[in-house]
Amino acid sequence: MLDWRPMPFVSAAGHSLEYEWLGAGAPGKPPLVFLHEGLGSIRQWRDFPQQVAQATGCRALVYSRYGYGQSDVLREAKAGVRFMHREALEALPALLAALEVEDPVLVGHSDGASIALIYAGSPGRAVRGVAVMAPHVFVEPICVESIRKATAAFDGTGLAQRLAKYHRDPAKTFHLWADAWLDPEFLKWNIEEYLPGITCPVLAIQGRDDEYGTMEQLARIKRGVRGPCELLELDGCGHSPFRDQAEAARDAIARFINERCG
């Protein structure tokens, strides 16, 4: 069920970001940090973070990145092709420091999954575990083509109106994401260099019908990380496991956290 009450805000990396804590958190349990997709926000997670928090006894932090949800609207003309790097290397560390979050388990979806991998693979980052759904570690033609289709349909399919329920400026939010991915320079985007720096446990989940990526994304994560890595491929599931196969995704992530992340 969607919760429309006002969220608190925190200042991080020069921007005001909406956030929310879910669950009380049992002693000794790591905090969970949820990182949303390219057109996501706090509310678009629905009750998935709350369910994972309840299943693990962990406290969960959800927030809307700069340019998303009710956080500050993008000031720049474009986010640029390194927007996920900036989030992982600058904004996320500032947010965690401001909210005094230490040694978290990162739970990311799509662009948020990529941000989680960059952060976890960067020097000096203490991370208890990483659970990613539909991650991107390199650019595939299927992803670019799906984003082209979404861009062509943005004004004519009601997507703009649907996004307006969640974002202060839906057009800016959409183009923040789409313009970056469709920039010709983005074809060279690749974060595999960060994977060997990940020594914590990793769970990578992807739907077999994902319209934005193939199972090669999971294969490269498995080959690249230095910590234990589990892969889960879901039937009847597109790009959003937490919506398309919510129970399976929740159970897999909860088991991973309880068994691997302590």
Side-chain angles (χ1 to χ4, degrees):
M1 181 180 296
L2 293 175
D3 187 346
W4 296 105
R5 70 179 182 277
M7 303 292 176
F9 287 79
V10 62
S11 179
H15 305 294
S16 180
L17 307 177
E18 64 169 348
Y19 73 97
E20 184 178 27
W21 280 106
L22 302 168
K29 289 285 189 175
L32 312 180
V33 178
F34 283 78
L35 304 166
H36 63 73
E37 63 188 297
L39 292 177
S41 66
I42 289 178
R43 293 187 174 100
Q44 284 160 276
W45 280 111
R46 302 179 183 175
D47 62 351
F48 188 79
Q50 180 70 57
Q51 289 187 17
V52 176
Q54 290 173 347
T56 59
C58 297
R59 197 179 187 208
L61 172 67
V62 289
Y63 76 103
S64 296
R65 297 196 300 272
Y66 169 51
Y68 295 87
Q70 302 307 304
S71 295
D72 279 350
V73 174
L74 185 72
R75 299 170 192 161
E76 297 80 8
K78 291 187 177 182
V81 297
R82 288 185 60 82
F83 75 99
M84 285 182 274
H85 285 77
R86 287 199 306 276
E87 183 67 28
L89 303 176
E90 301 172 18
L92 181 56
L95 174 79
L96 298 182
L99 296 177
E100 300 181 338
V101 178
E102 297 180 350
D103 203 19
V105 174
L106 303 179
V107 182
H109 172 228
S110 191
D111 288 8
S114 303
I115 291 164
L117 294 169
I118 297 170
Y119 180 92
S122 301
R125 300 300 179 196
V127 179
R128 191 82 66 93
V130 177
V132 291
M133 294 174 282
H136 306 286
V137 297
F138 71 105
V139 178
E140 294 183 279
I142 187 176
C143 184
V144 175
E145 182 58 28
S146 291
I147 294 172
R148 283 200 183 102
K149 290 178 181 178
T151 301
F154 178 64
D155 293 318
T157 63
L159 178 57
Q161 289 77 12
R162 292 195 297 274
L163 289 176
K165 296 190 297 184
Y166 304 104
H167 304 284
R168 288 172 59 187
D169 190 327
K172 273 211 163 185
T173 295
F174 180 84
H175 288 290
L176 179 167
W177 167 75
D179 290 355
W181 275 91
L182 296 179
D183 189 313
E185 283 295 307
F186 204 83
L187 294 174
K188 298 181 287 187
W189 180 91
N190 187 302
I191 62 168
E192 290 178 85
E193 66 186 279
Y194 292 93
L195 299 180
I198 301 176
T199 58
C200 65
V202 174
L203 169 65
I205 302 172
Q206 188 157 336
R208 295 186 188 276
D209 301 320
D210 192 333
E211 63 273 33
Y212 287 92
T214 72
M215 293 302 169
E216 181 62 18
Q217 301 287 344
L218 268 58
R220 294 199 188 189
I221 291 171
K222 178 76 171 179
R223 292 198 299 265
V225 300
R226 290 197 293 126
C229 181
E230 303 175 32
L231 305 182
L232 175 60
E233 300 177 7
L234 293 174
D235 292 322
C237 182
H239 189 59
S240 300
F242 75 95
R243 288 192 291 262
D244 298 343
Q245 291 287 353
E247 185 175 343
R250 179 202 65 205
D251 290 350
I253 292 173
R255 179 202 53 76
F256 168 77
I257 292 168
N258 289 331
E259 294 180 3
R260 293 281 195 172
C261 306

